[in-house]
Amino acid sequence: MRDEQKLIKQCLSGDRRAEKQLYDTYSALFFGICLRYARHREEAEDMLVTGFTRIFAKLSTYRMNGSFEGWMKRIIINNAIDHVRNRQENETLSSDDVSSVPNNGLQKLEARDVLACIQRLPVLQRTIFNLHAVEGFPHREIAGMLQMNESSVRVYFFKAKKQLQKMLA
């Protein structure tokens, strides 16, 4: 804990080596989060860089109480949501996408297969699925984040689960 506070103070003083150390320590974890919201690796990389930019910009607001990792994770998730919200494309899931997922009756699913399926979900379904099923946010809080009503969030979550079940069956 002491080392973490020292690292934060060094980052606040503009120490580039400390910033790199912070990035190197947490980038793999946060990249995994970004991948769940992104359509592809390049988009996840953009989300990660933007997220860390926001972390460094807001670092002075961290009050050294509570989990620093949790504080940063929240910024990364909010950044991913902002990215999704600003995306202008209208994603749809084609039958080609579903059939391209490996599916042999007894084949074990690997994490990358599940991630590939999640990435193929329409953007709003993917976002809500990630926030609820993976991050553990309640529907009410997700509704506030996405400026939607809670019943719509529940419907999108249900649709995401059904679509994933179909892809993984």
Side-chain angles (χ1 to χ4, degrees):
M1 183 62 119
R2 207 79 178 125
D3 290 337
E4 188 175 84
Q5 289 179 355
K6 182 180 175 186
L7 184 62
I8 293 167
K9 287 178 182 177
Q10 289 172 330
C11 288
L12 285 170
S13 70
D15 183 337
R16 295 290 179 207
R17 279 186 260 152
E19 289 176 355
K20 182 172 179 353
Q21 183 181 349
L22 184 70
Y23 179 86
D24 290 345
T25 301
Y26 292 100
S27 61
L29 172 68
F30 295 155
F31 184 66
I33 292 170
C34 294
L35 268 175
R36 290 194 308 262
Y37 291 90
R39 294 171 292 187
H40 44 77
R41 288 186 75 79
E42 293 80 15
E43 185 177 37
E45 289 167 359
D46 289 345
M47 285 180 181
L48 182 68
V49 169
T50 305
F52 266 101
T53 301
R54 287 183 178 184
I55 287 170
F56 290 124
K58 295 180 179 193
L59 196 54
S60 64
T61 66
Y62 178 66
R63 299 291 171 224
M64 304 285 185
N65 59 358
S67 166
F68 181 56
E69 181 179 318
W71 180 83
M72 290 188 300
K73 183 178 177 183
R74 184 68 181 231
I75 291 172
I76 293 291
I77 291 169
N78 285 338
N79 178 67
I81 291 169
D82 288 347
H83 185 87
V84 167
R85 198 181 289 140
N86 292 331
R87 189 182 303 139
Q88 297 299 317
E89 295 176 20
N90 197 5
E91 291 185 349
T92 58
L93 179 66
S94 72
S95 58
D96 292 340
D97 291 334
V98 174
S99 63
S100 69
V101 175
N103 186 12
N104 302 342
L106 299 174
Q107 177 182 355
K108 285 187 175 180
L109 284 176
E110 294 185 21
R112 67 174 179 216
D113 297 325
V114 175
L115 179 59
C117 290
I118 290 171
Q119 288 176 321
R120 287 184 180 97
L121 288 172
V123 66
L124 200 50
Q125 288 179 22
R126 178 175 62 237
T127 302
I128 290 170
F129 180 83
N130 281 321
L131 288 170
H132 184 68
V134 179
E135 306 298 343
F137 288 104
H139 292 293
R140 181 172 299 161
E141 193 170 344
I142 296 169
M145 290 174 166
L146 299 178
Q147 300 169 347
M148 300 172 66
N149 65 48
E150 188 175 345
S151 61
S152 295
V153 169
R154 290 180 187 279
V155 168
Y156 279 104
F157 180 72
F158 176 78
K159 287 180 179 181
K161 279 192 339 184
K162 287 294 183 195
Q163 190 65 48
L164 284 172
Q165 287 170 348
K166 195 165 134 183
M167 284 189 272
L168 297 171

